Amino acid sequence: MTETLMDKIDTGLLESPLIKKDSWCYKDQHQKFEKFTDFNDWLDSDDGFNLRERYGIEGLLQPSKAFYASDKEAYNQAFKEYRNTRRNEVLNKTYLCEQFADEHWFERNVKRFDQLVNCLEDGSVVPFIGAGISVEGGFPTWKNHLRQQGRTAGINPKHIESLLSMGKFEKVIEEIEDKRGRDVFIQEIRDVFSTTGSITDTSLRITELFSDTVITTNYDHLLELSFETGVSNSIQIINGDDTSHDPDPKKITIVKLHGDIKTPSKCVLSKCQYDQAYGKKKIDLTLPIPKILSYHYKNSSLLFLGCSLNNDRTMRVFEEMKKNMGDVDKPQHFSLEQVPQSEKEVVDRNAYLLKFGITPIWFEKGRFEYIESMLRLARNELNYRRIP
């Protein structure tokens, strides 16, 4: 049976001789029921007890399936209530309204989240994965790693802390290499980032939403592990400075901007290496890494996950690109962001990111589980939109 024929059967355009017309799939449109996986799982769980009692389906073997088959109108109404409640929870309605006295920032969250889903729906979104995503998988933040590097190199912790507090990460690396040599720094990189790590719910959501290109500044192999399907040679790794390979449309392409732990000597780490990769005095858009970033800034909607997005080299590339493009329509970029705790800080951070063309979607500070929840919600919203 061809794929086209099966597609027609799934959408009800053709009858299959293998499926009786009065079967569950045909009579009750089971293929649509399966689009509501999260709602069905919730309804069948302890959390859905009150709703099951309300509709008289408590005690059944599969309450959600029985509910869907017996009373579609009531099922749809219950689903709408669940969907609205879930959106409010994931988009931080209670926290944002209590923290800032009204619904202003929550309303922006709702609008911006829907804008993100629109971009996901048209296939224009490319995720940009930072160190924050790897932390959940068992790796340190870059700042904590530099603290470890300083200790291994025997540098005064207070001095390291002072440099980190000023955002001088490249200076920390420079001092370690000057005092102990590059070999010490590279070995510490190996010790920390060559471990396997653990697949997380967040990394799995990334694999559900994206199957083409992923960009990361991370050196570890968490993304490769998450995308592994058992199919041989299904993932293509491209280092940011490698201009000899084009993305293979038949594979998942992971672009490792700053290198791979398999070849730590080629990782972009020190100030000197950053200067070589991005340009010494100003950003050089003709170099390989800025060219990759420029291409996706101009042609994709980037979604930043686990990225600090402060005044680093990546942001300077985007600033240069935005200036060069001038006053023309640009793709909308997004970031899932910890919300600052004061109104002024939110206003300032919001304006700072939008200056680079990046739209923030806020979650409560320190509650990084909301990144997975927002990605899950986006996946579900896409599924709901695809239901005839």
Side-chain angles (χ1 to χ4, degrees):
M1 186 178 291
T2 66
E3 186 177 350
T4 303
L5 181 58
M6 184 54 78
D7 287 343
K8 290 181 179 180
I9 290 171
D10 284 345
T11 55
L13 297 176
L14 284 179
E15 289 185 23
S16 167
L18 303 178
I19 304 174
K20 292 182 180 180
K21 198 167 185 177
D22 61 351
S23 70
W24 161 259
C25 262
Y26 247 76
K27 186 176 180 181
D28 296 300
Q29 299 174 317
H30 181 56
Q31 74 275 18
K32 293 182 183 178
F33 169 81
E34 292 175 346
K35 295 287 187 182
F36 301 96
T37 301
D38 271 34
F39 173 58
N40 295 329
D41 289 345
W42 173 85
L43 182 58
D44 292 339
S45 73
D46 292 343
D47 293 334
F49 175 79
N50 290 337
L51 192 143
R52 293 198 303 272
E53 278 213 322
R54 189 200 315 172
Y55 287 100
I57 56 174
E58 173 58 21
L60 297 178
L61 183 61
Q62 290 183 290
S64 58
K65 184 176 286 190
F67 191 25
Y68 185 89
S70 63
D71 193 341
K72 197 74 63 62
E73 185 176 343
Y75 177 95
N76 288 337
Q77 181 58 41
F79 164 71
K80 287 178 182 177
E81 293 174 14
Y82 166 85
R83 182 182 183 183
N84 186 58
T85 299
R86 188 65 181 145
R87 280 170 62 90
N88 288 344
E89 288 174 354
V90 172
L91 298 178
N92 282 230
K93 180 177 183 178
T94 299
Y95 178 80
L96 290 173
C97 291
E98 289 178 353
Q99 187 72 11
F100 302 109
D102 57 27
E103 295 192 355
H104 178 83
W105 291 108
F106 169 68
E107 289 172 351
R108 268 108 200 108
N109 251 20
V110 171
K111 291 181 173 65
R112 293 169 180 188
F113 179 80
D114 287 338
Q115 291 160 15
L116 170 60
V117 175
N118 289 341
C119 293
L120 286 165
E121 190 173 26
D122 66 28
S124 63
V125 179
V126 171
F128 190 114
I129 311 299
I133 298 303
S134 289
V135 170
E136 189 183 359
F139 297 97
T141 64
W142 188 237
K143 183 180 284 189
N144 281 339
H145 175 67
L146 291 179
R147 290 188 178 105
Q148 296 171 7
Q149 285 274 8
R151 180 174 180 178
T152 301
I155 298 177
N156 188 316
K158 290 183 178 179
H159 176 62
I160 294 290
E161 208 59 44
S162 173
L163 292 175
L164 293 176
S165 68
M166 295 184 285
K168 295 184 177 182
F169 294 0
E170 295 173 16
K171 181 65 175 173
V172 173
I173 300 170
E174 185 180 10
E175 290 197 10
I176 291 170
E177 290 188 345
D178 286 346
K179 184 171 183 178
R180 299 299 181 187
R182 183 165 171 75
D183 291 337
V184 170
F185 192 91
I186 287 177
Q187 184 57 45
E188 187 72 7
I189 287 280
R190 280 199 192 97
D191 292 344
V192 173
F193 291 103
S194 61
T195 57
T196 302
S198 303
I199 296 176
T200 66
D201 288 341
T202 303
S203 61
L204 287 177
R205 295 295 86 77
I206 292 169
T207 67
E208 289 174 348
L209 283 168
F210 307 102
S211 58
D212 188 346
T213 302
V214 179
I215 300 172
T216 183
T217 53
N218 299 341
Y219 311 113
D220 59 70
H221 293 156
L222 182 60
L223 287 172
E224 293 94 306
L225 189 65
S226 302
F227 275 104
E228 183 57 56
T229 62
V231 178
S232 178
N233 203 28
S234 62
I235 300 171
Q236 177 188 30
I237 305 298
I238 296 180
N239 281 351
D241 63 352
D242 186 353
T243 58
S244 63
H245 292 93
D246 292 324
D248 186 337
K250 296 180 181 179
K251 297 180 180 181
I252 297 161
T253 300
I254 300 177
V255 180
K256 294 200 155 189
L257 285 178
H258 294 161
D260 189 306
I261 192 58
K262 285 184 177 179
T263 53
S265 63
K266 295 182 179 179
C267 291
V268 178
L269 298 165
S270 65
K271 182 178 184 303
C272 177
Q273 289 173 308
Y274 271 96
D275 288 344
Q276 291 173 349
Y278 286 88
K280 189 170 184 179
K281 293 185 178 179
K282 59 177 291 187
I283 294 296
D284 183 351
L285 295 177
T286 66
L287 293 172
I289 293 177
K291 281 180 74 173
I292 291 172
L293 290 171
S294 300
Y295 173 83
H296 286 287
Y297 184 86
K298 187 176 180 180
N299 295 286
S300 310
S301 286
L302 293 166
L303 172 59
F304 296 93
L305 303 171
C307 302
S308 59
L309 298 182
N310 292 317
N311 187 27
D312 55 23
R313 306 285 182 125
T314 303
M315 297 296 277
R316 286 164 57 187
V317 171
F318 298 148
E319 183 177 35
E320 192 70 18
M321 274 300 299
K322 193 168 183 288
K323 182 172 65 177
N324 290 352
M325 291 172 71
D327 189 19
V328 298
D329 288 334
K330 308 171 186 67
Q332 186 177 9
H333 308 293
F334 300 89
S335 175
L336 304 189
E337 283 274 318
Q338 298 184 80
V339 66
Q341 293 182 301
S342 74
E343 179 88 14
K344 182 181 184 306
E345 288 174 313
V346 179
V347 169
D348 290 346
R349 181 65 175 170
N350 185 66
Y352 170 79
L353 290 170
L354 288 171
K355 182 177 73 173
F356 295 93
I358 300 170
T359 302
I361 300 172
W362 308 108
F363 63 85
E364 183 180 350
K365 187 171 184 179
R367 298 287 303 277
F368 296 104
E369 66 269 22
Y370 275 110
I371 295 178
E372 188 275 332
S373 297
M374 288 182 178
L375 294 178
R376 179 189 289 268
L377 183 64
R379 180 204 66 186
N380 290 343
E381 290 294 317
L382 287 173
N383 282 338
Y384 305 152
R385 291 185 182 194
R386 291 164 183 161
I387 299 171

PDB file of all heavy atoms in Angstrom, residues 14 24 47 129 187 262 278 320:
ATOM      1  N   LEU A  14     -10.689   7.711   1.534  1.00  0.00           N
ATOM      2  CA  LEU A  14     -10.844   6.383   0.960  1.00  0.00           C
ATOM      3  C   LEU A  14     -11.106   5.378   2.055  1.00  0.00           C
ATOM      4  O   LEU A  14     -10.644   5.537   3.183  1.00  0.00           O
ATOM      5  CB  LEU A  14      -9.565   5.968   0.200  1.00  0.00           C
ATOM      6  CG  LEU A  14      -9.310   6.599  -1.165  1.00  0.00           C
ATOM      7  CD1 LEU A  14      -7.993   6.047  -1.698  1.00  0.00           C
ATOM      8  CD2 LEU A  14     -10.419   6.296  -2.148  1.00  0.00           C
ATOM      9  N   TRP A  24     -13.445   1.273  15.489  1.00  0.00           N
ATOM     10  CA  TRP A  24     -13.119   2.450  16.323  1.00  0.00           C
ATOM     11  C   TRP A  24     -12.519   3.574  15.494  1.00  0.00           C
ATOM     12  O   TRP A  24     -12.922   4.728  15.587  1.00  0.00           O
ATOM     13  CB  TRP A  24     -12.163   2.001  17.437  1.00  0.00           C
ATOM     14  CG  TRP A  24     -11.396   3.133  18.069  1.00  0.00           C
ATOM     15  CD1 TRP A  24     -10.125   3.489  17.835  1.00  0.00           C
ATOM     16  CD2 TRP A  24     -11.899   4.058  19.030  1.00  0.00           C
ATOM     17  NE1 TRP A  24      -9.773   4.563  18.580  1.00  0.00           N
ATOM     18  CE2 TRP A  24     -10.842   4.956  19.333  1.00  0.00           C
ATOM     19  CE3 TRP A  24     -13.122   4.240  19.669  1.00  0.00           C
ATOM     20  CZ2 TRP A  24     -10.973   5.983  20.250  1.00  0.00           C
ATOM     21  CZ3 TRP A  24     -13.247   5.277  20.586  1.00  0.00           C
ATOM     22  CH2 TRP A  24     -12.199   6.133  20.861  1.00  0.00           C
ATOM     23  N   ASP A  47      -4.775  13.320  38.512  1.00  0.00           N
ATOM     24  CA  ASP A  47      -5.157  14.737  38.398  1.00  0.00           C
ATOM     25  C   ASP A  47      -6.516  14.920  37.746  1.00  0.00           C
ATOM     26  O   ASP A  47      -7.180  15.941  37.962  1.00  0.00           O
ATOM     27  CB  ASP A  47      -4.099  15.505  37.585  1.00  0.00           C
ATOM     28  CG  ASP A  47      -2.768  15.594  38.308  1.00  0.00           C
ATOM     29  OD1 ASP A  47      -2.770  15.524  39.548  1.00  0.00           O
ATOM     30  OD2 ASP A  47      -1.731  15.724  37.628  1.00  0.00           O
ATOM     31  N   ILE A 129      20.977  26.204  20.651  1.00  0.00           N
ATOM     32  CA  ILE A 129      21.072  25.585  21.969  1.00  0.00           C
ATOM     33  C   ILE A 129      22.321  26.052  22.707  1.00  0.00           C
ATOM     34  O   ILE A 129      23.436  25.917  22.208  1.00  0.00           O
ATOM     35  CB  ILE A 129      21.105  24.048  21.850  1.00  0.00           C
ATOM     36  CG1 ILE A 129      19.979  23.551  20.929  1.00  0.00           C
ATOM     37  CG2 ILE A 129      21.044  23.401  23.222  1.00  0.00           C
ATOM     38  CD1 ILE A 129      18.600  23.882  21.405  1.00  0.00           C
ATOM     39  N   GLN A 187      42.780  19.429  28.939  1.00  0.00           N
ATOM     40  CA  GLN A 187      42.498  18.208  29.688  1.00  0.00           C
ATOM     41  C   GLN A 187      41.282  18.388  30.590  1.00  0.00           C
ATOM     42  O   GLN A 187      40.464  17.485  30.742  1.00  0.00           O
ATOM     43  CB  GLN A 187      43.714  17.788  30.513  1.00  0.00           C
ATOM     44  CG  GLN A 187      43.516  16.458  31.250  1.00  0.00           C
ATOM     45  CD  GLN A 187      43.171  15.319  30.310  1.00  0.00           C
ATOM     46  OE1 GLN A 187      43.788  15.165  29.253  1.00  0.00           O
ATOM     47  NE2 GLN A 187      42.164  14.518  30.672  1.00  0.00           N
ATOM     48  N   LYS A 262      35.324  15.914  20.870  1.00  0.00           N
ATOM     49  CA  LYS A 262      36.163  14.875  20.264  1.00  0.00           C
ATOM     50  C   LYS A 262      37.504  15.437  19.810  1.00  0.00           C
ATOM     51  O   LYS A 262      38.501  14.732  19.761  1.00  0.00           O
ATOM     52  CB  LYS A 262      35.439  14.246  19.062  1.00  0.00           C
ATOM     53  CG  LYS A 262      34.327  13.288  19.430  1.00  0.00           C
ATOM     54  CD  LYS A 262      33.734  12.647  18.186  1.00  0.00           C
ATOM     55  CE  LYS A 262      32.659  11.633  18.555  1.00  0.00           C
ATOM     56  NZ  LYS A 262      32.057  11.012  17.341  1.00  0.00           N
ATOM     57  N   TYR A 278      35.951  35.153  15.018  1.00  0.00           N
ATOM     58  CA  TYR A 278      34.935  36.193  14.808  1.00  0.00           C
ATOM     59  C   TYR A 278      35.499  37.508  14.258  1.00  0.00           C
ATOM     60  O   TYR A 278      34.739  38.338  13.763  1.00  0.00           O
ATOM     61  CB  TYR A 278      34.217  36.497  16.126  1.00  0.00           C
ATOM     62  CG  TYR A 278      33.235  35.427  16.557  1.00  0.00           C
ATOM     63  CD1 TYR A 278      33.649  34.349  17.332  1.00  0.00           C
ATOM     64  CD2 TYR A 278      31.892  35.491  16.194  1.00  0.00           C
ATOM     65  CE1 TYR A 278      32.752  33.364  17.735  1.00  0.00           C
ATOM     66  CE2 TYR A 278      30.990  34.524  16.587  1.00  0.00           C
ATOM     67  CZ  TYR A 278      31.428  33.455  17.367  1.00  0.00           C
ATOM     68  OH  TYR A 278      30.528  32.489  17.755  1.00  0.00           O
ATOM     69  N   GLU A 320      25.622  43.404  14.113  1.00  0.00           N
ATOM     70  CA  GLU A 320      26.201  43.812  12.839  1.00  0.00           C
ATOM     71  C   GLU A 320      25.258  43.475  11.680  1.00  0.00           C
ATOM     72  O   GLU A 320      25.081  44.270  10.758  1.00  0.00           O
ATOM     73  CB  GLU A 320      27.551  43.105  12.645  1.00  0.00           C
ATOM     74  CG  GLU A 320      28.409  43.644  11.508  1.00  0.00           C
ATOM     75  CD  GLU A 320      28.966  45.031  11.782  1.00  0.00           C
ATOM     76  OE1 GLU A 320      28.987  45.442  12.954  1.00  0.00           O
ATOM     77  OE2 GLU A 320      29.367  45.702  10.811  1.00  0.00           O
TER      78      GLU A 320
END
